[in-house]
């Protein structure tokens, strides 16, 4: 999982819209305004500590309902060996989502977890 301050930006796409958080001197901003630091750190921890229900390795198809792209600062991109990582959640059966890391399916996640992430975004951006 990425280090929070290694991220130049964190871009999230949901069925409700697109949200881009940028790192400016270790403070995250949304639409140019600072977000609550403690709430954002909790949210980030929830993003990177995804609880898996079961392994899943079959190829997935369809539109992701929730996507997170971690774009790294240059010095971390060279350390990680890539400019970004992308996690996407695709609906599996209404109760679970398949998590893909950089296009590779890894495991299934409870739909309640994904819904909590969406709710957390709304809390953060509403101030």
């Amino acid at each position: 999982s990425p280090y929070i301050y290694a991220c130049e930006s964190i871009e999230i796409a949901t069925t409700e819209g697109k949200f881009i958080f940028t790192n400016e001197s270790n403070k995250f901003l949304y639409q140019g305004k600072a977000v609550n630091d403690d709430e954002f750190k909790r949210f980030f921890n929830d993003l990177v500590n995804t609880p898996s229900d079961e392994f899943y390795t079959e190829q997935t198809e369809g539109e992701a309902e929730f996507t997170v792209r971690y774009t790294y600062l240059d010095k971390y991109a060279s350390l990680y060996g890539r400019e970004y990582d992308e996690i996407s959640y695709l609906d599996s059966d209404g109760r679970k989502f398949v998590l893909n890391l950089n296009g590779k399916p890894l495991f299934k996640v409870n739909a309640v977890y994904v819904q909590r992430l969406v709710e957390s975004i709304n809390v953060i951006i509403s101030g």
Side-chain angles (χ1 to χ4, degrees):
S1 63
Y3 172 57
I4 188 170
Y5 298 120
C7 298
E8 180 177 4
S9 67
I10 300 167
E11 184 176 317
I12 301 169
T14 73
T15 54
E16 295 181 18
K18 193 174 208 177
F19 310 90
I20 301 173
F21 300 93
T22 55
N23 180 355
E24 301 282 331
S25 302
N26 293 339
K27 295 283 183 192
F28 279 88
L29 311 176
Y30 175 71
Q31 296 182 336
K33 295 183 181 180
V35 297
N36 180 293
D37 198 44
D38 291 333
E39 285 180 17
F40 191 79
K41 284 179 183 175
R42 275 193 295 276
F43 174 64
F44 184 86
N45 283 332
D46 286 343
L47 283 173
V48 298
N49 293 310
T50 306
S52 63
D53 285 352
E54 61 188 90
F55 286 104
Y56 188 85
T57 57
E58 294 178 33
Q59 190 57 41
T60 55
E61 293 187 22
E63 269 313 292
E65 293 196 26
F66 191 95
T67 303
V68 182
R69 178 178 279 212
Y70 304 96
T71 302
Y72 303 120
L73 296 164
D74 289 340
K75 69 179 182 178
Y76 289 98
S78 62
L79 177 69
Y80 293 157
R82 59 197 162 279
E83 293 179 18
Y84 68 88
D85 280 309
E86 186 170 282
I87 296 174
S88 58
Y89 298 87
L90 287 80
D91 189 12
S92 174
D93 59 10
R95 297 176 332 171
K96 295 190 180 187
F97 284 82
V98 175
L99 180 143
N100 287 335
L101 173 61
N102 298 327
K104 180 182 176 190
L106 295 179
F107 49 82
K108 287 188 176 182
V109 176
N110 192 305
V112 172
Y113 166 78
V114 176
Q115 183 57 40
R116 276 190 312 190
L117 291 176
V118 172
E119 291 168 2
S120 294
I121 291 170
N122 292 329
V123 168
I124 290 169
I125 64 172
S126 65

